[in-house]
Amino acid sequence: MIEQSQRRVPMPVAAASVTLLVAAALPASMMFTSGRSMATGLIGVLLLLALAYGLWRGSGRARFWTTVFSTASIVYGVVAIAKADALGLLQIVGASVVVGLLLVPASRRWFHDRPAEE
C-alpha cells in the first residue's frame, strides 16, 4: 500500500468547491459592465473563490459561511419565485446542492477530523 502524507479531499467537498467556482461565472460576467455592477461582481467573485479555497483546505469557517450564504440564497430564491426565470431556479438548485453536499457524513468528517499540526 502506498503511504500518503496528505489526506485526499472527499468527493462531496470537491463537488461543492467546483460548484462554487462555476457559480463565480455569474458575478464575473457582471464585472464586464460599468459602474456599481463591476464592484459587486468583483466582490462576488472574490467571495466565492475564497469560500471554494477554504472548503478545499478544510476550513470550518468556510463551511459555516458557505452554508449560511447558500441557505440565504435558497430563501431569497424561494421568496422571489414569482419571477420564476431559469436563472432563479438554477440558483435555488445550485445552492441546495452545495448545502446538501456539505451535510453528508464524508464532508462532515473532512471538517471535523483534521489531523493535529506537527
Side-chain angles (χ1 to χ4, degrees):
M1 180 179 271
I2 299 173
E3 293 294 324
Q4 294 182 353
S5 62
Q6 294 182 348
R7 296 184 333 155
R8 295 182 64 164
V9 178
M11 186 56 70
V13 175
S17 297
V18 169
T19 303
L20 288 177
L21 292 175
V22 170
L26 180 64
S29 67
M30 290 175 54
M31 287 174 44
F32 294 117
T33 61
S34 62
R36 226 175 62 174
S37 295
M38 184 174 185
T40 305
L42 180 62
I43 291 170
V45 168
L46 292 176
L47 178 67
L48 289 170
L49 291 176
L51 290 174
Y53 179 74
L55 291 178
W56 192 265
R57 300 287 296 168
S59 170
R61 290 181 183 166
R63 178 178 181 247
F64 172 77
W65 285 110
T66 302
T67 305
V68 168
F69 288 136
S70 295
T71 304
S73 180
I74 294 167
V75 170
Y76 175 76
V78 169
V79 169
I81 198 81
K83 293 185 227 176
D85 59 344
L87 190 59
L89 293 175
L90 184 62
Q91 174 186 352
I92 293 170
V93 170
S96 300
V97 166
V98 169
V99 170
L101 288 170
L102 292 178
L103 293 178
V104 297
S107 66
R108 294 174 97 186
R109 279 191 303 272
W110 173 250
F111 295 103
H112 292 295
D113 294 340
R114 300 298 298 171
E117 296 294 326
E118 296 180 24

